[in-house]
Amino acid sequence: QVQLVESGGGLVPPGGSLRLSCVASRMIFSTFITKHMAWYRQAPGKQRELVASITGGGSTDYVDSVRGRFTISRHNSKKTVYLQMNSLKPEDTAVYYCNIYGSTDFWGQGTQVTVSS
């Protein structure tokens, strides 16, 4: 059983920044460091989409709409994945979820990001 807990969302004006965290507290270190992790988001009225991913080796990828603005990273000793979001736009408004890349059976509660003035 894997439990991932997202945090860090909130209300931010356009152009602002947020840093999301995803903690895999129940996963042992030796397992966490091998996992390909990802951030997803679901905006109002839209399907859930993959935003960013990071492999166990640290290779990253991004959806085009956030490339250059968002940075995914991981701190393995803390078993945590981060999503640094800069230059936020209203269209970034969504519930953001963390998960093991490619896993769709289980989702956490996510964290709400609202970009509005």
PDB file of all heavy atoms in Angstrom, residues 38-69:
ATOM      1  N   ALA A  38       5.245  11.508 -10.704  1.00  0.00           N
ATOM      2  CA  ALA A  38       4.618  12.482 -11.582  1.00  0.00           C
ATOM      3  C   ALA A  38       3.630  13.358 -10.824  1.00  0.00           C
ATOM      4  O   ALA A  38       3.055  12.951  -9.817  1.00  0.00           O
ATOM      5  CB  ALA A  38       3.897  11.782 -12.738  1.00  0.00           C
ATOM      6  N   TRP A  39       3.446  14.553 -11.351  1.00  0.00           N
ATOM      7  CA  TRP A  39       2.373  15.449 -10.943  1.00  0.00           C
ATOM      8  C   TRP A  39       1.340  15.515 -12.055  1.00  0.00           C
ATOM      9  O   TRP A  39       1.691  15.631 -13.236  1.00  0.00           O
ATOM     10  CB  TRP A  39       2.890  16.857 -10.649  1.00  0.00           C
ATOM     11  CG  TRP A  39       3.592  17.002  -9.337  1.00  0.00           C
ATOM     12  CD1 TRP A  39       4.924  16.971  -9.110  1.00  0.00           C
ATOM     13  CD2 TRP A  39       2.972  17.220  -8.063  1.00  0.00           C
ATOM     14  NE1 TRP A  39       5.190  17.164  -7.775  1.00  0.00           N
ATOM     15  CE2 TRP A  39       4.011  17.314  -7.113  1.00  0.00           C
ATOM     16  CE3 TRP A  39       1.649  17.356  -7.632  1.00  0.00           C
ATOM     17  CZ2 TRP A  39       3.763  17.529  -5.755  1.00  0.00           C
ATOM     18  CZ3 TRP A  39       1.408  17.559  -6.286  1.00  0.00           C
ATOM     19  CH2 TRP A  39       2.458  17.642  -5.369  1.00  0.00           C
ATOM     20  N   TYR A  40       0.086  15.451 -11.663  1.00  0.00           N
ATOM     21  CA  TYR A  40      -1.044  15.585 -12.560  1.00  0.00           C
ATOM     22  C   TYR A  40      -1.921  16.732 -12.070  1.00  0.00           C
ATOM     23  O   TYR A  40      -1.820  17.156 -10.928  1.00  0.00           O
ATOM     24  CB  TYR A  40      -1.883  14.311 -12.592  1.00  0.00           C
ATOM     25  CG  TYR A  40      -1.139  13.056 -12.999  1.00  0.00           C
ATOM     26  CD1 TYR A  40      -0.344  12.372 -12.096  1.00  0.00           C
ATOM     27  CD2 TYR A  40      -1.259  12.551 -14.288  1.00  0.00           C
ATOM     28  CE1 TYR A  40       0.326  11.215 -12.454  1.00  0.00           C
ATOM     29  CE2 TYR A  40      -0.590  11.389 -14.659  1.00  0.00           C
ATOM     30  CZ  TYR A  40       0.194  10.731 -13.738  1.00  0.00           C
ATOM     31  OH  TYR A  40       0.849   9.581 -14.113  1.00  0.00           O
ATOM     32  N   ARG A  41      -2.796  17.200 -12.927  1.00  0.00           N
ATOM     33  CA  ARG A  41      -3.767  18.192 -12.495  1.00  0.00           C
ATOM     34  C   ARG A  41      -5.085  17.984 -13.222  1.00  0.00           C
ATOM     35  O   ARG A  41      -5.122  17.440 -14.327  1.00  0.00           O
ATOM     36  CB  ARG A  41      -3.266  19.614 -12.717  1.00  0.00           C
ATOM     37  CG  ARG A  41      -3.137  20.032 -14.174  1.00  0.00           C
ATOM     38  CD  ARG A  41      -2.506  21.410 -14.282  1.00  0.00           C
ATOM     39  NE  ARG A  41      -2.353  21.834 -15.669  1.00  0.00           N
ATOM     40  CZ  ARG A  41      -1.709  22.923 -16.040  1.00  0.00           C
ATOM     41  NH1 ARG A  41      -1.144  23.716 -15.130  1.00  0.00           N
ATOM     42  NH2 ARG A  41      -1.621  23.242 -17.338  1.00  0.00           N
ATOM     43  N   GLN A  42      -6.143  18.416 -12.579  1.00  0.00           N
ATOM     44  CA  GLN A  42      -7.461  18.371 -13.179  1.00  0.00           C
ATOM     45  C   GLN A  42      -8.124  19.727 -12.982  1.00  0.00           C
ATOM     46  O   GLN A  42      -8.451  20.109 -11.856  1.00  0.00           O
ATOM     47  CB  GLN A  42      -8.320  17.259 -12.579  1.00  0.00           C
ATOM     48  CG  GLN A  42      -9.642  17.062 -13.304  1.00  0.00           C
ATOM     49  CD  GLN A  42     -10.306  15.750 -12.948  1.00  0.00           C
ATOM     50  OE1 GLN A  42     -10.060  15.193 -11.885  1.00  0.00           O
ATOM     51  NE2 GLN A  42     -11.137  15.254 -13.844  1.00  0.00           N
ATOM     52  N   ALA A  43      -8.295  20.440 -14.068  1.00  0.00           N
ATOM     53  CA  ALA A  43      -8.930  21.743 -14.050  1.00  0.00           C
ATOM     54  C   ALA A  43     -10.438  21.572 -14.134  1.00  0.00           C
ATOM     55  O   ALA A  43     -10.937  20.532 -14.573  1.00  0.00           O
ATOM     56  CB  ALA A  43      -8.423  22.585 -15.217  1.00  0.00           C
ATOM     57  N   PRO A  44     -11.190  22.594 -13.730  1.00  0.00           N
ATOM     58  CA  PRO A  44     -12.651  22.501 -13.796  1.00  0.00           C
ATOM     59  C   PRO A  44     -13.138  22.166 -15.197  1.00  0.00           C
ATOM     60  O   PRO A  44     -12.750  22.817 -16.170  1.00  0.00           O
ATOM     61  CB  PRO A  44     -13.112  23.895 -13.370  1.00  0.00           C
ATOM     62  CG  PRO A  44     -12.001  24.410 -12.517  1.00  0.00           C
ATOM     63  CD  PRO A  44     -10.749  23.870 -13.139  1.00  0.00           C
ATOM     64  N   GLY A  45     -13.970  21.139 -15.296  1.00  0.00           N
ATOM     65  CA  GLY A  45     -14.539  20.748 -16.569  1.00  0.00           C
ATOM     66  C   GLY A  45     -13.596  20.056 -17.523  1.00  0.00           C
ATOM     67  O   GLY A  45     -13.955  19.848 -18.684  1.00  0.00           O
ATOM     68  N   LYS A  46     -12.405  19.688 -17.069  1.00  0.00           N
ATOM     69  CA  LYS A  46     -11.425  19.062 -17.943  1.00  0.00           C
ATOM     70  C   LYS A  46     -10.974  17.711 -17.402  1.00  0.00           C
ATOM     71  O   LYS A  46     -11.185  17.393 -16.234  1.00  0.00           O
ATOM     72  CB  LYS A  46     -10.211  19.975 -18.130  1.00  0.00           C
ATOM     73  CG  LYS A  46     -10.500  21.278 -18.848  1.00  0.00           C
ATOM     74  CD  LYS A  46      -9.220  22.055 -19.094  1.00  0.00           C
ATOM     75  CE  LYS A  46      -9.491  23.332 -19.867  1.00  0.00           C
ATOM     76  NZ  LYS A  46      -8.241  24.087 -20.119  1.00  0.00           N
ATOM     77  N   GLN A  47     -10.350  16.935 -18.265  1.00  0.00           N
ATOM     78  CA  GLN A  47      -9.774  15.656 -17.880  1.00  0.00           C
ATOM     79  C   GLN A  47      -8.496  15.877 -17.082  1.00  0.00           C
ATOM     80  O   GLN A  47      -7.832  16.911 -17.217  1.00  0.00           O
ATOM     81  CB  GLN A  47      -9.456  14.817 -19.121  1.00  0.00           C
ATOM     82  CG  GLN A  47     -10.647  14.502 -20.003  1.00  0.00           C
ATOM     83  CD  GLN A  47     -11.225  13.156 -19.713  1.00  0.00           C
ATOM     84  OE1 GLN A  47     -11.689  12.892 -18.593  1.00  0.00           O
ATOM     85  NE2 GLN A  47     -11.207  12.275 -20.701  1.00  0.00           N
ATOM     86  N   ARG A  48      -8.141  14.897 -16.281  1.00  0.00           N
ATOM     87  CA  ARG A  48      -6.872  14.939 -15.584  1.00  0.00           C
ATOM     88  C   ARG A  48      -5.741  14.819 -16.604  1.00  0.00           C
ATOM     89  O   ARG A  48      -5.808  14.010 -17.528  1.00  0.00           O
ATOM     90  CB  ARG A  48      -6.797  13.808 -14.558  1.00  0.00           C
ATOM     91  CG  ARG A  48      -5.508  13.798 -13.772  1.00  0.00           C
ATOM     92  CD  ARG A  48      -5.584  13.020 -12.465  1.00  0.00           C
ATOM     93  NE  ARG A  48      -6.538  11.957 -12.451  1.00  0.00           N
ATOM     94  CZ  ARG A  48      -7.345  11.680 -11.432  1.00  0.00           C
ATOM     95  NH1 ARG A  48      -7.294  12.418 -10.326  1.00  0.00           N
ATOM     96  NH2 ARG A  48      -8.195  10.675 -11.501  1.00  0.00           N
ATOM     97  N   GLU A  49      -4.716  15.638 -16.450  1.00  0.00           N
ATOM     98  CA  GLU A  49      -3.601  15.616 -17.371  1.00  0.00           C
ATOM     99  C   GLU A  49      -2.280  15.490 -16.626  1.00  0.00           C
ATOM    100  O   GLU A  49      -2.137  15.956 -15.494  1.00  0.00           O
ATOM    101  CB  GLU A  49      -3.573  16.878 -18.249  1.00  0.00           C
ATOM    102  CG  GLU A  49      -3.257  18.161 -17.508  1.00  0.00           C
ATOM    103  CD  GLU A  49      -3.003  19.347 -18.426  1.00  0.00           C
ATOM    104  OE1 GLU A  49      -2.766  19.147 -19.636  1.00  0.00           O
ATOM    105  OE2 GLU A  49      -3.050  20.496 -17.928  1.00  0.00           O
ATOM    106  N   LEU A  50      -1.331  14.868 -17.285  1.00  0.00           N
ATOM    107  CA  LEU A  50       0.028  14.778 -16.762  1.00  0.00           C
ATOM    108  C   LEU A  50       0.713  16.124 -16.932  1.00  0.00           C
ATOM    109  O   LEU A  50       0.739  16.678 -18.030  1.00  0.00           O
ATOM    110  CB  LEU A  50       0.799  13.691 -17.502  1.00  0.00           C
ATOM    111  CG  LEU A  50       2.270  13.519 -17.151  1.00  0.00           C
ATOM    112  CD1 LEU A  50       2.434  13.037 -15.718  1.00  0.00           C
ATOM    113  CD2 LEU A  50       2.926  12.538 -18.120  1.00  0.00           C
ATOM    114  N   VAL A  51       1.270  16.641 -15.854  1.00  0.00           N
ATOM    115  CA  VAL A  51       1.924  17.940 -15.867  1.00  0.00           C
ATOM    116  C   VAL A  51       3.433  17.802 -15.960  1.00  0.00           C
ATOM    117  O   VAL A  51       4.089  18.471 -16.763  1.00  0.00           O
ATOM    118  CB  VAL A  51       1.554  18.758 -14.613  1.00  0.00           C
ATOM    119  CG1 VAL A  51       2.297  20.089 -14.588  1.00  0.00           C
ATOM    120  CG2 VAL A  51       0.048  18.990 -14.566  1.00  0.00           C
ATOM    121  N   ALA A  52       3.991  16.957 -15.122  1.00  0.00           N
ATOM    122  CA  ALA A  52       5.440  16.806 -15.052  1.00  0.00           C
ATOM    123  C   ALA A  52       5.774  15.453 -14.470  1.00  0.00           C
ATOM    124  O   ALA A  52       4.995  14.875 -13.711  1.00  0.00           O
ATOM    125  CB  ALA A  52       6.064  17.914 -14.197  1.00  0.00           C
ATOM    126  N   SER A  53       6.937  14.941 -14.812  1.00  0.00           N
ATOM    127  CA  SER A  53       7.381  13.666 -14.275  1.00  0.00           C
ATOM    128  C   SER A  53       8.872  13.716 -14.009  1.00  0.00           C
ATOM    129  O   SER A  53       9.603  14.515 -14.603  1.00  0.00           O
ATOM    130  CB  SER A  53       7.047  12.506 -15.220  1.00  0.00           C
ATOM    131  OG  SER A  53       7.764  12.609 -16.437  1.00  0.00           O
ATOM    132  N   ILE A  54       9.302  12.838 -13.118  1.00  0.00           N
ATOM    133  CA  ILE A  54      10.721  12.741 -12.791  1.00  0.00           C
ATOM    134  C   ILE A  54      11.053  11.287 -12.519  1.00  0.00           C
ATOM    135  O   ILE A  54      10.382  10.606 -11.747  1.00  0.00           O
ATOM    136  CB  ILE A  54      11.089  13.656 -11.601  1.00  0.00           C
ATOM    137  CG1 ILE A  54      12.595  13.604 -11.326  1.00  0.00           C
ATOM    138  CG2 ILE A  54      10.277  13.310 -10.355  1.00  0.00           C
ATOM    139  CD1 ILE A  54      13.066  14.731 -10.414  1.00  0.00           C
ATOM    140  N   THR A  55      12.077  10.787 -13.177  1.00  0.00           N
ATOM    141  CA  THR A  55      12.485   9.401 -13.001  1.00  0.00           C
ATOM    142  C   THR A  55      13.290   9.244 -11.725  1.00  0.00           C
ATOM    143  O   THR A  55      13.700  10.216 -11.091  1.00  0.00           O
ATOM    144  CB  THR A  55      13.320   8.914 -14.191  1.00  0.00           C
ATOM    145  OG1 THR A  55      14.588   9.586 -14.184  1.00  0.00           O
ATOM    146  CG2 THR A  55      12.609   9.169 -15.509  1.00  0.00           C
ATOM    147  N   GLY A  56      13.533   7.991 -11.365  1.00  0.00           N
ATOM    148  CA  GLY A  56      14.378   7.732 -10.218  1.00  0.00           C
ATOM    149  C   GLY A  56      15.767   8.311 -10.377  1.00  0.00           C
ATOM    150  O   GLY A  56      16.407   8.665  -9.386  1.00  0.00           O
ATOM    151  N   GLY A  57      16.226   8.412 -11.610  1.00  0.00           N
ATOM    152  CA  GLY A  57      17.524   8.988 -11.891  1.00  0.00           C
ATOM    153  C   GLY A  57      17.539  10.493 -12.026  1.00  0.00           C
ATOM    154  O   GLY A  57      18.609  11.075 -12.217  1.00  0.00           O
ATOM    155  N   GLY A  58      16.354  11.126 -11.942  1.00  0.00           N
ATOM    156  CA  GLY A  58      16.289  12.571 -11.971  1.00  0.00           C
ATOM    157  C   GLY A  58      15.975  13.199 -13.313  1.00  0.00           C
ATOM    158  O   GLY A  58      15.961  14.426 -13.427  1.00  0.00           O
ATOM    159  N   SER A  59      15.710  12.394 -14.331  1.00  0.00           N
ATOM    160  CA  SER A  59      15.320  12.944 -15.627  1.00  0.00           C
ATOM    161  C   SER A  59      13.892  13.464 -15.559  1.00  0.00           C
ATOM    162  O   SER A  59      13.011  12.801 -15.003  1.00  0.00           O
ATOM    163  CB  SER A  59      15.439  11.887 -16.719  1.00  0.00           C
ATOM    164  OG  SER A  59      16.781  11.466 -16.867  1.00  0.00           O
ATOM    165  N   THR A  60      13.655  14.626 -16.147  1.00  0.00           N
ATOM    166  CA  THR A  60      12.360  15.282 -16.038  1.00  0.00           C
ATOM    167  C   THR A  60      11.708  15.485 -17.390  1.00  0.00           C
ATOM    168  O   THR A  60      12.378  15.519 -18.427  1.00  0.00           O
ATOM    169  CB  THR A  60      12.485  16.642 -15.341  1.00  0.00           C
ATOM    170  OG1 THR A  60      13.360  17.489 -16.106  1.00  0.00           O
ATOM    171  CG2 THR A  60      13.055  16.481 -13.941  1.00  0.00           C
ATOM    172  N   ASP A  61      10.383  15.638 -17.355  1.00  0.00           N
ATOM    173  CA  ASP A  61       9.626  15.963 -18.546  1.00  0.00           C
ATOM    174  C   ASP A  61       8.418  16.787 -18.131  1.00  0.00           C
ATOM    175  O   ASP A  61       7.953  16.685 -16.990  1.00  0.00           O
ATOM    176  CB  ASP A  61       9.186  14.696 -19.285  1.00  0.00           C
ATOM    177  CG  ASP A  61       8.856  14.960 -20.750  1.00  0.00           C
ATOM    178  OD1 ASP A  61       9.105  16.067 -21.244  1.00  0.00           O
ATOM    179  OD2 ASP A  61       8.338  14.030 -21.412  1.00  0.00           O
ATOM    180  N   TYR A  62       7.914  17.614 -19.056  1.00  0.00           N
ATOM    181  CA  TYR A  62       6.834  18.532 -18.773  1.00  0.00           C
ATOM    182  C   TYR A  62       5.864  18.612 -19.929  1.00  0.00           C
ATOM    183  O   TYR A  62       6.253  18.464 -21.092  1.00  0.00           O
ATOM    184  CB  TYR A  62       7.369  19.945 -18.511  1.00  0.00           C
ATOM    185  CG  TYR A  62       8.372  20.023 -17.396  1.00  0.00           C
ATOM    186  CD1 TYR A  62       9.734  19.864 -17.652  1.00  0.00           C
ATOM    187  CD2 TYR A  62       7.973  20.249 -16.086  1.00  0.00           C
ATOM    188  CE1 TYR A  62      10.665  19.925 -16.626  1.00  0.00           C
ATOM    189  CE2 TYR A  62       8.893  20.314 -15.060  1.00  0.00           C
ATOM    190  CZ  TYR A  62      10.245  20.151 -15.337  1.00  0.00           C
ATOM    191  OH  TYR A  62      11.152  20.213 -14.311  1.00  0.00           O
ATOM    192  N   VAL A  63       4.614  18.885 -19.598  1.00  0.00           N
ATOM    193  CA  VAL A  63       3.666  19.222 -20.635  1.00  0.00           C
ATOM    194  C   VAL A  63       4.035  20.604 -21.183  1.00  0.00           C
ATOM    195  O   VAL A  63       4.566  21.458 -20.458  1.00  0.00           O
ATOM    196  CB  VAL A  63       2.223  19.195 -20.075  1.00  0.00           C
ATOM    197  CG1 VAL A  63       1.989  20.321 -19.088  1.00  0.00           C
ATOM    198  CG2 VAL A  63       1.201  19.211 -21.198  1.00  0.00           C
ATOM    199  N   ASP A  64       3.797  20.818 -22.466  1.00  0.00           N
ATOM    200  CA  ASP A  64       4.253  22.047 -23.112  1.00  0.00           C
ATOM    201  C   ASP A  64       3.746  23.311 -22.427  1.00  0.00           C
ATOM    202  O   ASP A  64       4.456  24.322 -22.366  1.00  0.00           O
ATOM    203  CB  ASP A  64       3.834  22.057 -24.579  1.00  0.00           C
ATOM    204  CG  ASP A  64       4.637  21.110 -25.436  1.00  0.00           C
ATOM    205  OD1 ASP A  64       5.699  20.642 -24.987  1.00  0.00           O
ATOM    206  OD2 ASP A  64       4.205  20.833 -26.573  1.00  0.00           O
ATOM    207  N   SER A  65       2.545  23.267 -21.901  1.00  0.00           N
ATOM    208  CA  SER A  65       1.939  24.462 -21.334  1.00  0.00           C
ATOM    209  C   SER A  65       2.625  24.963 -20.067  1.00  0.00           C
ATOM    210  O   SER A  65       2.426  26.113 -19.677  1.00  0.00           O
ATOM    211  CB  SER A  65       0.455  24.220 -21.057  1.00  0.00           C
ATOM    212  OG  SER A  65       0.278  23.153 -20.142  1.00  0.00           O
ATOM    213  N   VAL A  66       3.430  24.119 -19.422  1.00  0.00           N
ATOM    214  CA  VAL A  66       4.113  24.539 -18.199  1.00  0.00           C
ATOM    215  C   VAL A  66       5.626  24.568 -18.346  1.00  0.00           C
ATOM    216  O   VAL A  66       6.322  25.029 -17.429  1.00  0.00           O
ATOM    217  CB  VAL A  66       3.735  23.656 -16.995  1.00  0.00           C
ATOM    218  CG1 VAL A  66       2.230  23.512 -16.882  1.00  0.00           C
ATOM    219  CG2 VAL A  66       4.402  22.287 -17.070  1.00  0.00           C
ATOM    220  N   ARG A  67       6.128  24.105 -19.454  1.00  0.00           N
ATOM    221  CA  ARG A  67       7.574  24.047 -19.656  1.00  0.00           C
ATOM    222  C   ARG A  67       8.191  25.436 -19.532  1.00  0.00           C
ATOM    223  O   ARG A  67       7.714  26.390 -20.135  1.00  0.00           O
ATOM    224  CB  ARG A  67       7.883  23.444 -21.027  1.00  0.00           C
ATOM    225  CG  ARG A  67       9.337  22.987 -21.185  1.00  0.00           C
ATOM    226  CD  ARG A  67       9.598  22.463 -22.599  1.00  0.00           C
ATOM    227  NE  ARG A  67       8.624  21.461 -23.006  1.00  0.00           N
ATOM    228  CZ  ARG A  67       8.692  20.161 -22.727  1.00  0.00           C
ATOM    229  NH1 ARG A  67       9.710  19.687 -22.018  1.00  0.00           N
ATOM    230  NH2 ARG A  67       7.739  19.342 -23.136  1.00  0.00           N
ATOM    231  N   GLY A  68       9.243  25.530 -18.739  1.00  0.00           N
ATOM    232  CA  GLY A  68       9.891  26.809 -18.500  1.00  0.00           C
ATOM    233  C   GLY A  68       9.355  27.557 -17.311  1.00  0.00           C
ATOM    234  O   GLY A  68      10.002  28.503 -16.837  1.00  0.00           O
ATOM    235  N   ARG A  69       8.190  27.178 -16.833  1.00  0.00           N
ATOM    236  CA  ARG A  69       7.590  27.825 -15.669  1.00  0.00           C
ATOM    237  C   ARG A  69       7.585  26.922 -14.438  1.00  0.00           C
ATOM    238  O   ARG A  69       7.722  27.403 -13.322  1.00  0.00           O
ATOM    239  CB  ARG A  69       6.152  28.259 -15.973  1.00  0.00           C
ATOM    240  CG  ARG A  69       6.037  29.260 -17.114  1.00  0.00           C
ATOM    241  CD  ARG A  69       4.611  29.789 -17.253  1.00  0.00           C
ATOM    242  NE  ARG A  69       3.658  28.732 -17.577  1.00  0.00           N
ATOM    243  CZ  ARG A  69       2.634  28.383 -16.804  1.00  0.00           C
ATOM    244  NH1 ARG A  69       2.403  29.014 -15.660  1.00  0.00           N
ATOM    245  NH2 ARG A  69       1.806  27.412 -17.188  1.00  0.00           N
TER     246      ARG A  69
END
